[in-house]
Amino acid sequence: MGDVGIYNAYMTLSGAYDADVTRDERMARRTTCRIGGPAALFCHAHSLQALRKVLAVLAHEHVEWVILGKGSNILVSDGGYDGCVIELGREFSRISFGDDGIVTVGAAVPLSRLVRETLSHELAGLEFCIGIPGTLGGAVSMNAGTRRDWISRCIESVVTCDLHGMLHRLSADEVAWGYRTTSIDPASVILEATLRLRGGTKRDISARMNALIAHRQRTQPVGRPSCGSVFRNPAEGSAASLVEGCGLSGAREGAAQVSERHANFIINTGGATADDVIRLMTRMHDAVMDTYGTDLTPEVKFLGFGA
């Protein structure tokens, strides 16, 4: 891959039906931590036809690609990404309510919208998603949730598109679901998921949501730019308590700071770079390893950092 491949892909996709393509899109505008250099290509694919076209062109030109939702849980390098960032658009932003608590949700639907609409239909089961940034597709790909609840518990099936544009429907029991992981092929694109929720009352559902919102506001740096939890919780204890136990709450590297409210969050205090975050993550990891012998695994995904 190189500049020629990027140029050829851009010229071909610029005329693609139902796709919007730009060059050198600053990823700091597209990520919740407000960090990241430019993506060589940025493409909105608004339909399955457009997505198939995009994937075919990128494969032909040997251009790497990645799917982006709302830009949470991702750290893009300061040098950017020498590939194509794909964002799913209109056709993948639909929610359809069926009988018996069945809800079909497009991968591009923000979790915040999904939670609101299931509440309006008096369907319970997704309260734990309140306040979790990102889209349904991203939530499925990493089995998002809390210590007690995760989205795989609600999933009936998932529809994906492979590199050849073929669609596959996977029942929930065909997927191995783990803590922040799934066995869904990372080279495929999650298009939609069918969920099964249970009936409830707006009063009860709202009460659970409000309690979770209040808890998040007390314990997390809500409203501050961050990429969410930077490390997965170990089998015993929590990453936040380990980092805090090392005396690193409030620690800084450049404009990146370990949150004093939740030590597994790194906040951008203004103008932080990806290098700042990496240095701070390294300090956190090494301190926990030296103090507790626990090898923390990053939960945040890295883009544009090379092999």
Side-chain angles (χ1 to χ4, degrees):
M1 183 186 67
D3 292 342
V4 173
I6 292 290
Y7 176 79
N8 289 342
Y10 174 71
M11 294 303 294
T12 302
L13 293 174
S14 292
Y17 173 75
D18 243 2
D20 303 318
V21 187
T22 57
R23 294 207 57 179
D24 298 323
E25 180 74 13
R26 286 184 60 246
M27 296 306 294
R29 299 173 50 204
R30 300 284 182 176
T31 58
T32 57
C33 61
R34 300 293 180 256
I35 292 171
L41 290 179
F42 191 94
C43 179
H44 286 89
H46 294 293
S47 66
L48 178 58
Q49 177 183 351
L51 177 63
R52 283 170 164 158
K53 174 72 171 178
V54 169
L55 294 178
V57 170
L58 295 178
H60 183 266
E61 298 297 339
H62 305 289
V63 175
E64 295 179 3
W65 57 270
V66 66
I67 295 289
L68 185 76
K70 289 297 181 182
S72 59
N73 266 117
I74 189 166
L75 181 67
V76 182
S77 78
D78 299 317
Y81 174 56
D82 190 22
C84 181
V85 174
I86 303 172
E87 186 176 87
L88 301 181
R90 290 187 300 271
E91 190 173 293
F92 310 101
S93 301
R94 300 169 181 167
I95 304 177
S96 176
F97 290 88
D99 298 326
D100 300 322
I102 294 295
V103 187
T104 301
V105 189
V109 173
L111 289 179
S112 57
R113 177 187 158 206
L114 176 60
V115 168
R116 289 196 307 270
E117 294 205 21
T118 53
L119 170 63
S120 69
H121 283 76
E122 297 190 302
L123 291 174
L126 291 178
E127 292 89 334
F128 67 91
C129 287
I130 191 73
I132 297 179
T135 59
L136 185 279
V140 171
S141 70
M142 67 175 295
N143 196 16
T146 65
R147 279 256 183 184
R148 299 180 181 86
D149 295 288
W150 44 92
I151 201 162
S152 59
R153 288 183 170 180
C154 304
I155 292 176
E156 289 276 295
S157 63
V158 178
V159 176
T160 66
C161 177
D162 66 23
L163 295 176
H164 306 290
M166 300 294 293
L167 301 186
H168 304 271
R169 182 178 293 275
L170 305 171
S171 64
D173 58 11
E174 292 180 274
V175 179
W177 305 95
Y179 174 62
R180 301 293 185 266
T181 64
T182 77
S183 62
I184 297 174
D185 185 356
S188 65
V189 181
I190 296 171
L191 302 183
E192 70 176 32
T194 298
L195 313 178
R196 182 180 291 276
L197 305 178
R198 62 182 186 276
T201 66
K202 287 186 179 179
R203 178 179 177 179
D204 290 343
I205 297 169
S206 293
R208 288 192 290 271
M209 287 182 180
N210 290 337
L212 286 167
I213 290 172
H215 176 73
R216 288 185 187 279
Q217 290 176 335
R218 288 194 307 270
T219 61
Q220 296 181 8
V222 176
R224 304 294 300 275
S226 81
C227 51
S229 298
V230 292
F231 294 107
R232 297 180 186 177
N233 285 320
E236 299 295 332
S238 71
S241 64
L242 295 177
V243 173
E244 187 174 351
C246 294
L248 289 179
S249 290
R252 298 178 66 113
E253 289 288 343
Q257 181 182 34
V258 177
S259 170
E260 295 175 302
R261 183 168 292 184
H262 192 302
N264 198 26
F265 280 67
I266 293 177
I267 58 175
N268 180 354
T269 63
T273 65
D275 186 57
D276 292 339
V277 175
I278 293 294
R279 292 201 313 271
L280 194 50
M281 286 184 67
T282 301
R283 279 180 63 188
M284 295 160 72
H285 172 275
D286 291 352
V288 168
M289 189 67 180
D290 291 343
T291 304
Y292 299 102
T294 300
D295 185 9
L296 292 177
T297 301
E299 181 171 317
V300 64
K301 307 294 185 184
F302 301 98
L303 185 64
F305 289 90

